[in-house]
Amino acid sequence: MPPVHSTAETLTVGGITLSSRLVVGTGKYRSYAEMARCLEAAGTDCVTVAVRRERLVNAAGENILDHLDPKRYTILPNTAGCFTADEAVRVARLGRELLRDLGNPGSEWVKLEVLGDTRTLLPDPIGTLEATIRLVAEGFAVLVYSSDDPVLARRLKEAGAASVMPAGSPIGSGQGILNPNALKICLEYLKGDDPDYPVIVDAGVGTASDVAEAMELGVDGVLLNTAIAHATDPLRMAAAMQAACYAGRQAFLAGRIPRRLYATASSPDEGRIGHSAGG
């Protein structure tokens, strides 16, 4: 399936321009070969990789980086599984050195995750803000996984985050966009005086309609993984996600009609049999 996104609809984050607004994770697939096929079907040109050593190599001894062409994909290293700011900063530095060796343009990027606990996998707001400040000071372009708290979102942007990425719902839950109103306020706070600031929904997507809903709210992109990797047919779902991302973006740009309590006729009254100007 050819990509349905248009090169006129590029997204620039942290100095790197992407041709797709869909960022796809590389974990949880049954094999690296399946992962590669799904990335192709999703039409993405940016993939996120957990860089801790135990996540780079599978049980068969295969290195995930051998299955990702750095000339084709911008690799976004992430700090998945980190529960303190210190740990996240350390893993971010590791990812930077690893990708510098590959010559990948995303070597100064990091998808920052500082989690609060293992049950919810929700971000720790204090640790997340601390790690953001420290990594920005070290020259990283920080794409930061956040809750949908508008106040925290604004603080993270003020701290220098290249992109704030509020969760639609908890990681891997498949619940979709639980609080669209909170996301709207996040968008208002982050884009009010800076309309080009990139806001990406990260986590919780379950199916294509969730992607379309997020994009219709006005976010700039969606980051997902489990919804493709754990679908019954991952390849078909990957293609559906690409189409939904494009459709949602176009619908947002087109501008939806207002919601009304009562019906509004789609055909004009003029010329209707029995209708007269006098009523």
Side-chain angles (χ1 to χ4, degrees), residues 142-181:
V142 182
L143 290 74
V144 55
Y145 166 62
S146 169
S147 67
D148 58 8
D149 177 357
V151 175
L152 176 60
R154 183 165 56 190
R155 292 285 180 86
L156 291 167
K157 180 183 177 183
E158 290 170 352
S163 175
V164 174
M165 304 195 297
S169 54
I171 292 173
S173 69
Q175 296 182 71
I177 309 301
L178 289 183
N179 196 340
N181 287 340

PDB file of all heavy atoms in Angstrom, residues 142-181:
ATOM      1  N   VAL A 142      14.114  17.022  23.498  1.00  0.00           N
ATOM      2  CA  VAL A 142      13.352  16.127  24.370  1.00  0.00           C
ATOM      3  C   VAL A 142      11.893  16.082  23.927  1.00  0.00           C
ATOM      4  O   VAL A 142      11.183  17.084  23.955  1.00  0.00           O
ATOM      5  CB  VAL A 142      13.442  16.588  25.837  1.00  0.00           C
ATOM      6  CG1 VAL A 142      12.694  15.617  26.748  1.00  0.00           C
ATOM      7  CG2 VAL A 142      14.897  16.707  26.270  1.00  0.00           C
ATOM      8  N   LEU A 143      11.458  14.910  23.507  1.00  0.00           N
ATOM      9  CA  LEU A 143      10.058  14.647  23.214  1.00  0.00           C
ATOM     10  C   LEU A 143       9.528  13.917  24.437  1.00  0.00           C
ATOM     11  O   LEU A 143       9.892  12.760  24.687  1.00  0.00           O
ATOM     12  CB  LEU A 143       9.891  13.793  21.960  1.00  0.00           C
ATOM     13  CG  LEU A 143      10.226  14.466  20.617  1.00  0.00           C
ATOM     14  CD1 LEU A 143      11.731  14.628  20.433  1.00  0.00           C
ATOM     15  CD2 LEU A 143       9.658  13.647  19.461  1.00  0.00           C
ATOM     16  N   VAL A 144       8.692  14.566  25.215  1.00  0.00           N
ATOM     17  CA  VAL A 144       8.421  14.094  26.568  1.00  0.00           C
ATOM     18  C   VAL A 144       7.018  13.527  26.723  1.00  0.00           C
ATOM     19  O   VAL A 144       6.025  14.191  26.431  1.00  0.00           O
ATOM     20  CB  VAL A 144       8.698  15.218  27.600  1.00  0.00           C
ATOM     21  CG1 VAL A 144       7.924  16.484  27.286  1.00  0.00           C
ATOM     22  CG2 VAL A 144       8.410  14.747  29.017  1.00  0.00           C
ATOM     23  N   TYR A 145       6.976  12.263  27.168  1.00  0.00           N
ATOM     24  CA  TYR A 145       5.722  11.590  27.497  1.00  0.00           C
ATOM     25  C   TYR A 145       5.178  12.179  28.787  1.00  0.00           C
ATOM     26  O   TYR A 145       5.851  12.203  29.809  1.00  0.00           O
ATOM     27  CB  TYR A 145       5.979  10.089  27.636  1.00  0.00           C
ATOM     28  CG  TYR A 145       4.871   9.301  28.282  1.00  0.00           C
ATOM     29  CD1 TYR A 145       3.606   9.227  27.697  1.00  0.00           C
ATOM     30  CD2 TYR A 145       5.090   8.591  29.467  1.00  0.00           C
ATOM     31  CE1 TYR A 145       2.588   8.489  28.288  1.00  0.00           C
ATOM     32  CE2 TYR A 145       4.082   7.847  30.058  1.00  0.00           C
ATOM     33  CZ  TYR A 145       2.836   7.797  29.470  1.00  0.00           C
ATOM     34  OH  TYR A 145       1.830   7.062  30.051  1.00  0.00           O
ATOM     35  N   SER A 146       3.922  12.648  28.717  1.00  0.00           N
ATOM     36  CA  SER A 146       3.336  13.375  29.833  1.00  0.00           C
ATOM     37  C   SER A 146       1.917  12.888  30.074  1.00  0.00           C
ATOM     38  O   SER A 146       1.303  12.232  29.228  1.00  0.00           O
ATOM     39  CB  SER A 146       3.327  14.878  29.503  1.00  0.00           C
ATOM     40  OG  SER A 146       2.547  15.610  30.417  1.00  0.00           O
ATOM     41  N   SER A 147       1.391  13.219  31.232  1.00  0.00           N
ATOM     42  CA  SER A 147      -0.042  13.063  31.446  1.00  0.00           C
ATOM     43  C   SER A 147      -0.768  14.142  30.637  1.00  0.00           C
ATOM     44  O   SER A 147      -0.139  15.009  30.026  1.00  0.00           O
ATOM     45  CB  SER A 147      -0.376  13.208  32.932  1.00  0.00           C
ATOM     46  OG  SER A 147      -0.139  14.544  33.350  1.00  0.00           O
ATOM     47  N   ASP A 148      -2.091  14.090  30.664  1.00  0.00           N
ATOM     48  CA  ASP A 148      -2.866  15.099  29.922  1.00  0.00           C
ATOM     49  C   ASP A 148      -3.190  16.311  30.798  1.00  0.00           C
ATOM     50  O   ASP A 148      -4.190  17.000  30.576  1.00  0.00           O
ATOM     51  CB  ASP A 148      -4.146  14.491  29.336  1.00  0.00           C
ATOM     52  CG  ASP A 148      -5.061  13.880  30.388  1.00  0.00           C
ATOM     53  OD1 ASP A 148      -4.779  14.051  31.598  1.00  0.00           O
ATOM     54  OD2 ASP A 148      -6.049  13.215  30.015  1.00  0.00           O
ATOM     55  N   ASP A 149      -2.333  16.578  31.777  1.00  0.00           N
ATOM     56  CA  ASP A 149      -2.484  17.743  32.656  1.00  0.00           C
ATOM     57  C   ASP A 149      -1.994  18.991  31.923  1.00  0.00           C
ATOM     58  O   ASP A 149      -0.801  19.107  31.624  1.00  0.00           O
ATOM     59  CB  ASP A 149      -1.674  17.506  33.926  1.00  0.00           C
ATOM     60  CG  ASP A 149      -1.708  18.698  34.886  1.00  0.00           C
ATOM     61  OD1 ASP A 149      -2.304  19.740  34.550  1.00  0.00           O
ATOM     62  OD2 ASP A 149      -1.111  18.589  35.973  1.00  0.00           O
ATOM     63  N   PRO A 150      -2.863  19.944  31.626  1.00  0.00           N
ATOM     64  CA  PRO A 150      -2.446  21.128  30.871  1.00  0.00           C
ATOM     65  C   PRO A 150      -1.381  21.962  31.582  1.00  0.00           C
ATOM     66  O   PRO A 150      -0.505  22.540  30.927  1.00  0.00           O
ATOM     67  CB  PRO A 150      -3.742  21.922  30.708  1.00  0.00           C
ATOM     68  CG  PRO A 150      -4.838  20.919  30.861  1.00  0.00           C
ATOM     69  CD  PRO A 150      -4.325  19.931  31.855  1.00  0.00           C
ATOM     70  N   VAL A 151      -1.436  22.028  32.926  1.00  0.00           N
ATOM     71  CA  VAL A 151      -0.458  22.833  33.662  1.00  0.00           C
ATOM     72  C   VAL A 151       0.929  22.208  33.533  1.00  0.00           C
ATOM     73  O   VAL A 151       1.925  22.901  33.281  1.00  0.00           O
ATOM     74  CB  VAL A 151      -0.870  22.981  35.142  1.00  0.00           C
ATOM     75  CG1 VAL A 151       0.215  23.713  35.921  1.00  0.00           C
ATOM     76  CG2 VAL A 151      -2.198  23.727  35.251  1.00  0.00           C
ATOM     77  N   LEU A 152       1.008  20.890  33.694  1.00  0.00           N
ATOM     78  CA  LEU A 152       2.293  20.207  33.531  1.00  0.00           C
ATOM     79  C   LEU A 152       2.787  20.353  32.094  1.00  0.00           C
ATOM     80  O   LEU A 152       3.991  20.573  31.860  1.00  0.00           O
ATOM     81  CB  LEU A 152       2.172  18.733  33.888  1.00  0.00           C
ATOM     82  CG  LEU A 152       3.436  17.898  33.673  1.00  0.00           C
ATOM     83  CD1 LEU A 152       4.594  18.427  34.519  1.00  0.00           C
ATOM     84  CD2 LEU A 152       3.162  16.430  33.980  1.00  0.00           C
ATOM     85  N   ALA A 153       1.884  20.232  31.136  1.00  0.00           N
ATOM     86  CA  ALA A 153       2.268  20.379  29.731  1.00  0.00           C
ATOM     87  C   ALA A 153       2.934  21.734  29.495  1.00  0.00           C
ATOM     88  O   ALA A 153       3.974  21.831  28.831  1.00  0.00           O
ATOM     89  CB  ALA A 153       1.042  20.221  28.834  1.00  0.00           C
ATOM     90  N   ARG A 154       2.352  22.772  30.059  1.00  0.00           N
ATOM     91  CA  ARG A 154       2.921  24.112  29.892  1.00  0.00           C
ATOM     92  C   ARG A 154       4.282  24.219  30.571  1.00  0.00           C
ATOM     93  O   ARG A 154       5.212  24.825  30.018  1.00  0.00           O
ATOM     94  CB  ARG A 154       1.955  25.149  30.447  1.00  0.00           C
ATOM     95  CG  ARG A 154       2.416  26.587  30.248  1.00  0.00           C
ATOM     96  CD  ARG A 154       1.279  27.562  30.469  1.00  0.00           C
ATOM     97  NE  ARG A 154       0.669  27.398  31.777  1.00  0.00           N
ATOM     98  CZ  ARG A 154      -0.465  28.006  32.146  1.00  0.00           C
ATOM     99  NH1 ARG A 154      -1.101  28.789  31.282  1.00  0.00           N
ATOM    100  NH2 ARG A 154      -0.964  27.823  33.356  1.00  0.00           N
ATOM    101  N   ARG A 155       4.425  23.622  31.747  1.00  0.00           N
ATOM    102  CA  ARG A 155       5.711  23.652  32.453  1.00  0.00           C
ATOM    103  C   ARG A 155       6.794  22.927  31.647  1.00  0.00           C
ATOM    104  O   ARG A 155       7.945  23.371  31.606  1.00  0.00           O
ATOM    105  CB  ARG A 155       5.560  22.997  33.827  1.00  0.00           C
ATOM    106  CG  ARG A 155       4.689  23.765  34.802  1.00  0.00           C
ATOM    107  CD  ARG A 155       5.400  24.990  35.369  1.00  0.00           C
ATOM    108  NE  ARG A 155       4.562  25.716  36.312  1.00  0.00           N
ATOM    109  CZ  ARG A 155       4.459  25.431  37.611  1.00  0.00           C
ATOM    110  NH1 ARG A 155       5.150  24.420  38.110  1.00  0.00           N
ATOM    111  NH2 ARG A 155       3.673  26.147  38.389  1.00  0.00           N
ATOM    112  N   LEU A 156       6.442  21.825  31.034  1.00  0.00           N
ATOM    113  CA  LEU A 156       7.412  21.066  30.241  1.00  0.00           C
ATOM    114  C   LEU A 156       7.858  21.861  29.017  1.00  0.00           C
ATOM    115  O   LEU A 156       9.041  21.864  28.663  1.00  0.00           O
ATOM    116  CB  LEU A 156       6.814  19.721  29.820  1.00  0.00           C
ATOM    117  CG  LEU A 156       6.606  18.718  30.961  1.00  0.00           C
ATOM    118  CD1 LEU A 156       5.731  17.556  30.493  1.00  0.00           C
ATOM    119  CD2 LEU A 156       7.935  18.207  31.483  1.00  0.00           C
ATOM    120  N   LYS A 157       6.923  22.542  28.379  1.00  0.00           N
ATOM    121  CA  LYS A 157       7.310  23.380  27.245  1.00  0.00           C
ATOM    122  C   LYS A 157       8.228  24.514  27.712  1.00  0.00           C
ATOM    123  O   LYS A 157       9.254  24.798  27.063  1.00  0.00           O
ATOM    124  CB  LYS A 157       6.079  23.959  26.547  1.00  0.00           C
ATOM    125  CG  LYS A 157       6.440  24.838  25.354  1.00  0.00           C
ATOM    126  CD  LYS A 157       5.232  25.480  24.712  1.00  0.00           C
ATOM    127  CE  LYS A 157       5.663  26.400  23.575  1.00  0.00           C
ATOM    128  NZ  LYS A 157       4.518  27.112  22.968  1.00  0.00           N
ATOM    129  N   GLU A 158       7.884  25.150  28.818  1.00  0.00           N
ATOM    130  CA  GLU A 158       8.715  26.229  29.360  1.00  0.00           C
ATOM    131  C   GLU A 158      10.120  25.728  29.720  1.00  0.00           C
ATOM    132  O   GLU A 158      11.092  26.480  29.663  1.00  0.00           O
ATOM    133  CB  GLU A 158       8.041  26.834  30.585  1.00  0.00           C
ATOM    134  CG  GLU A 158       6.779  27.625  30.256  1.00  0.00           C
ATOM    135  CD  GLU A 158       5.983  28.013  31.488  1.00  0.00           C
ATOM    136  OE1 GLU A 158       6.323  27.551  32.599  1.00  0.00           O
ATOM    137  OE2 GLU A 158       5.009  28.785  31.357  1.00  0.00           O
ATOM    138  N   ALA A 159      10.219  24.430  30.071  1.00  0.00           N
ATOM    139  CA  ALA A 159      11.513  23.840  30.404  1.00  0.00           C
ATOM    140  C   ALA A 159      12.349  23.546  29.164  1.00  0.00           C
ATOM    141  O   ALA A 159      13.515  23.171  29.293  1.00  0.00           O
ATOM    142  CB  ALA A 159      11.310  22.560  31.205  1.00  0.00           C
ATOM    143  N   GLY A 160      11.735  23.693  27.980  1.00  0.00           N
ATOM    144  CA  GLY A 160      12.492  23.521  26.742  1.00  0.00           C
ATOM    145  C   GLY A 160      12.201  22.262  25.971  1.00  0.00           C
ATOM    146  O   GLY A 160      12.933  21.934  25.014  1.00  0.00           O
ATOM    147  N   ALA A 161      11.160  21.510  26.336  1.00  0.00           N
ATOM    148  CA  ALA A 161      10.824  20.286  25.605  1.00  0.00           C
ATOM    149  C   ALA A 161      10.551  20.601  24.141  1.00  0.00           C
ATOM    150  O   ALA A 161       9.824  21.545  23.818  1.00  0.00           O
ATOM    151  CB  ALA A 161       9.607  19.609  26.232  1.00  0.00           C
ATOM    152  N   ALA A 162      11.119  19.792  23.250  1.00  0.00           N
ATOM    153  CA  ALA A 162      10.893  19.979  21.812  1.00  0.00           C
ATOM    154  C   ALA A 162       9.478  19.609  21.418  1.00  0.00           C
ATOM    155  O   ALA A 162       8.931  20.128  20.446  1.00  0.00           O
ATOM    156  CB  ALA A 162      11.893  19.137  21.016  1.00  0.00           C
ATOM    157  N   SER A 163       8.885  18.691  22.159  1.00  0.00           N
ATOM    158  CA  SER A 163       7.490  18.315  21.957  1.00  0.00           C
ATOM    159  C   SER A 163       6.949  17.762  23.260  1.00  0.00           C
ATOM    160  O   SER A 163       7.626  16.981  23.937  1.00  0.00           O
ATOM    161  CB  SER A 163       7.346  17.257  20.851  1.00  0.00           C
ATOM    162  OG  SER A 163       6.000  16.803  20.744  1.00  0.00           O
ATOM    163  N   VAL A 164       5.749  18.176  23.620  1.00  0.00           N
ATOM    164  CA  VAL A 164       5.045  17.568  24.736  1.00  0.00           C
ATOM    165  C   VAL A 164       4.089  16.532  24.155  1.00  0.00           C
ATOM    166  O   VAL A 164       3.355  16.806  23.200  1.00  0.00           O
ATOM    167  CB  VAL A 164       4.286  18.615  25.571  1.00  0.00           C
ATOM    168  CG1 VAL A 164       3.433  17.943  26.648  1.00  0.00           C
ATOM    169  CG2 VAL A 164       5.263  19.596  26.210  1.00  0.00           C
ATOM    170  N   MET A 165       4.100  15.321  24.752  1.00  0.00           N
ATOM    171  CA  MET A 165       3.328  14.212  24.198  1.00  0.00           C
ATOM    172  C   MET A 165       2.385  13.655  25.266  1.00  0.00           C
ATOM    173  O   MET A 165       2.702  12.682  25.956  1.00  0.00           O
ATOM    174  CB  MET A 165       4.275  13.129  23.680  1.00  0.00           C
ATOM    175  CG  MET A 165       5.271  13.653  22.667  1.00  0.00           C
ATOM    176  SD  MET A 165       6.102  12.356  21.718  1.00  0.00           S
ATOM    177  CE  MET A 165       6.965  11.490  23.017  1.00  0.00           C
ATOM    178  N   PRO A 166       1.224  14.280  25.424  1.00  0.00           N
ATOM    179  CA  PRO A 166       0.280  13.797  26.435  1.00  0.00           C
ATOM    180  C   PRO A 166      -0.316  12.450  26.057  1.00  0.00           C
ATOM    181  O   PRO A 166      -0.543  12.152  24.878  1.00  0.00           O
ATOM    182  CB  PRO A 166      -0.795  14.894  26.458  1.00  0.00           C
ATOM    183  CG  PRO A 166      -0.693  15.559  25.129  1.00  0.00           C
ATOM    184  CD  PRO A 166       0.728  15.462  24.715  1.00  0.00           C
ATOM    185  N   ALA A 167      -0.569  11.640  27.076  1.00  0.00           N
ATOM    186  CA  ALA A 167      -1.149  10.319  26.856  1.00  0.00           C
ATOM    187  C   ALA A 167      -2.638  10.427  26.563  1.00  0.00           C
ATOM    188  O   ALA A 167      -3.353  11.216  27.188  1.00  0.00           O
ATOM    189  CB  ALA A 167      -0.930   9.448  28.084  1.00  0.00           C
ATOM    190  N   GLY A 168      -3.101   9.624  25.607  1.00  0.00           N
ATOM    191  CA  GLY A 168      -4.536   9.513  25.384  1.00  0.00           C
ATOM    192  C   GLY A 168      -5.182   8.704  26.492  1.00  0.00           C
ATOM    193  O   GLY A 168      -6.302   8.979  26.928  1.00  0.00           O
ATOM    194  N   SER A 169      -4.469   7.689  26.961  1.00  0.00           N
ATOM    195  CA  SER A 169      -4.853   6.828  28.078  1.00  0.00           C
ATOM    196  C   SER A 169      -3.609   6.029  28.452  1.00  0.00           C
ATOM    197  O   SER A 169      -2.576   6.144  27.782  1.00  0.00           O
ATOM    198  CB  SER A 169      -6.039   5.917  27.706  1.00  0.00           C
ATOM    199  OG  SER A 169      -5.779   5.170  26.528  1.00  0.00           O
ATOM    200  N   PRO A 170      -3.643   5.210  29.513  1.00  0.00           N
ATOM    201  CA  PRO A 170      -2.421   4.525  29.939  1.00  0.00           C
ATOM    202  C   PRO A 170      -1.778   3.665  28.848  1.00  0.00           C
ATOM    203  O   PRO A 170      -2.457   3.124  27.969  1.00  0.00           O
ATOM    204  CB  PRO A 170      -2.908   3.665  31.111  1.00  0.00           C
ATOM    205  CG  PRO A 170      -4.052   4.440  31.682  1.00  0.00           C
ATOM    206  CD  PRO A 170      -4.744   5.030  30.481  1.00  0.00           C
ATOM    207  N   ILE A 171      -0.461   3.536  28.924  1.00  0.00           N
ATOM    208  CA  ILE A 171       0.328   2.797  27.943  1.00  0.00           C
ATOM    209  C   ILE A 171      -0.232   1.381  27.745  1.00  0.00           C
ATOM    210  O   ILE A 171      -0.459   0.652  28.714  1.00  0.00           O
ATOM    211  CB  ILE A 171       1.798   2.691  28.406  1.00  0.00           C
ATOM    212  CG1 ILE A 171       2.473   4.070  28.375  1.00  0.00           C
ATOM    213  CG2 ILE A 171       2.585   1.710  27.557  1.00  0.00           C
ATOM    214  CD1 ILE A 171       3.861   4.088  28.982  1.00  0.00           C
ATOM    215  N   GLY A 172      -0.459   1.020  26.496  1.00  0.00           N
ATOM    216  CA  GLY A 172      -0.881  -0.333  26.166  1.00  0.00           C
ATOM    217  C   GLY A 172      -2.300  -0.680  26.551  1.00  0.00           C
ATOM    218  O   GLY A 172      -2.727  -1.823  26.374  1.00  0.00           O
ATOM    219  N   SER A 173      -3.077   0.291  27.065  1.00  0.00           N
ATOM    220  CA  SER A 173      -4.426  -0.018  27.555  1.00  0.00           C
ATOM    221  C   SER A 173      -5.447  -0.147  26.432  1.00  0.00           C
ATOM    222  O   SER A 173      -6.489  -0.781  26.605  1.00  0.00           O
ATOM    223  CB  SER A 173      -4.895   1.059  28.538  1.00  0.00           C
ATOM    224  OG  SER A 173      -5.134   2.295  27.870  1.00  0.00           O
ATOM    225  N   GLY A 174      -5.192   0.495  25.298  1.00  0.00           N
ATOM    226  CA  GLY A 174      -6.134   0.425  24.186  1.00  0.00           C
ATOM    227  C   GLY A 174      -7.439   1.153  24.438  1.00  0.00           C
ATOM    228  O   GLY A 174      -8.428   0.924  23.733  1.00  0.00           O
ATOM    229  N   GLN A 175      -7.458   2.045  25.416  1.00  0.00           N
ATOM    230  CA  GLN A 175      -8.704   2.741  25.759  1.00  0.00           C
ATOM    231  C   GLN A 175      -8.974   3.966  24.886  1.00  0.00           C
ATOM    232  O   GLN A 175     -10.037   4.569  24.984  1.00  0.00           O
ATOM    233  CB  GLN A 175      -8.672   3.166  27.232  1.00  0.00           C
ATOM    234  CG  GLN A 175      -8.626   2.008  28.200  1.00  0.00           C
ATOM    235  CD  GLN A 175      -8.645   2.487  29.637  1.00  0.00           C
ATOM    236  OE1 GLN A 175      -9.660   2.985  30.142  1.00  0.00           O
ATOM    237  NE2 GLN A 175      -7.521   2.358  30.309  1.00  0.00           N
ATOM    238  N   GLY A 176      -8.020   4.342  24.065  1.00  0.00           N
ATOM    239  CA  GLY A 176      -8.233   5.498  23.199  1.00  0.00           C
ATOM    240  C   GLY A 176      -8.097   6.812  23.939  1.00  0.00           C
ATOM    241  O   GLY A 176      -7.404   6.916  24.943  1.00  0.00           O
ATOM    242  N   ILE A 177      -8.792   7.830  23.442  1.00  0.00           N
ATOM    243  CA  ILE A 177      -8.703   9.175  24.016  1.00  0.00           C
ATOM    244  C   ILE A 177      -9.741   9.299  25.133  1.00  0.00           C
ATOM    245  O   ILE A 177     -10.931   9.485  24.877  1.00  0.00           O
ATOM    246  CB  ILE A 177      -8.943  10.256  22.936  1.00  0.00           C
ATOM    247  CG1 ILE A 177      -8.045  10.011  21.732  1.00  0.00           C
ATOM    248  CG2 ILE A 177      -8.720  11.648  23.523  1.00  0.00           C
ATOM    249  CD1 ILE A 177      -6.564  10.020  22.023  1.00  0.00           C
ATOM    250  N   LEU A 178      -9.288   9.188  26.382  1.00  0.00           N
ATOM    251  CA  LEU A 178     -10.217   9.193  27.507  1.00  0.00           C
ATOM    252  C   LEU A 178     -10.710  10.589  27.867  1.00  0.00           C
ATOM    253  O   LEU A 178     -11.828  10.740  28.351  1.00  0.00           O
ATOM    254  CB  LEU A 178      -9.552   8.571  28.741  1.00  0.00           C
ATOM    255  CG  LEU A 178      -9.328   7.063  28.710  1.00  0.00           C
ATOM    256  CD1 LEU A 178      -8.720   6.598  30.029  1.00  0.00           C
ATOM    257  CD2 LEU A 178     -10.632   6.317  28.451  1.00  0.00           C
ATOM    258  N   ASN A 179      -9.875  11.603  27.665  1.00  0.00           N
ATOM    259  CA  ASN A 179     -10.247  12.957  28.101  1.00  0.00           C
ATOM    260  C   ASN A 179      -9.933  13.964  26.995  1.00  0.00           C
ATOM    261  O   ASN A 179      -8.953  14.708  27.090  1.00  0.00           O
ATOM    262  CB  ASN A 179      -9.501  13.319  29.391  1.00  0.00           C
ATOM    263  CG  ASN A 179     -10.116  14.512  30.089  1.00  0.00           C
ATOM    264  OD1 ASN A 179     -10.849  15.294  29.480  1.00  0.00           O
ATOM    265  ND2 ASN A 179      -9.808  14.672  31.364  1.00  0.00           N
ATOM    266  N   PRO A 180     -10.762  14.008  25.962  1.00  0.00           N
ATOM    267  CA  PRO A 180     -10.497  14.950  24.870  1.00  0.00           C
ATOM    268  C   PRO A 180     -10.503  16.404  25.318  1.00  0.00           C
ATOM    269  O   PRO A 180      -9.781  17.228  24.750  1.00  0.00           O
ATOM    270  CB  PRO A 180     -11.625  14.666  23.868  1.00  0.00           C
ATOM    271  CG  PRO A 180     -12.682  13.954  24.636  1.00  0.00           C
ATOM    272  CD  PRO A 180     -11.973  13.190  25.705  1.00  0.00           C
ATOM    273  N   ASN A 181     -11.286  16.725  26.341  1.00  0.00           N
ATOM    274  CA  ASN A 181     -11.307  18.111  26.811  1.00  0.00           C
ATOM    275  C   ASN A 181      -9.959  18.520  27.385  1.00  0.00           C
ATOM    276  O   ASN A 181      -9.484  19.643  27.166  1.00  0.00           O
ATOM    277  CB  ASN A 181     -12.407  18.302  27.850  1.00  0.00           C
ATOM    278  CG  ASN A 181     -13.793  18.287  27.243  1.00  0.00           C
ATOM    279  OD1 ASN A 181     -13.947  18.506  26.042  1.00  0.00           O
ATOM    280  ND2 ASN A 181     -14.798  18.022  28.046  1.00  0.00           N
TER     281      ASN A 181
END
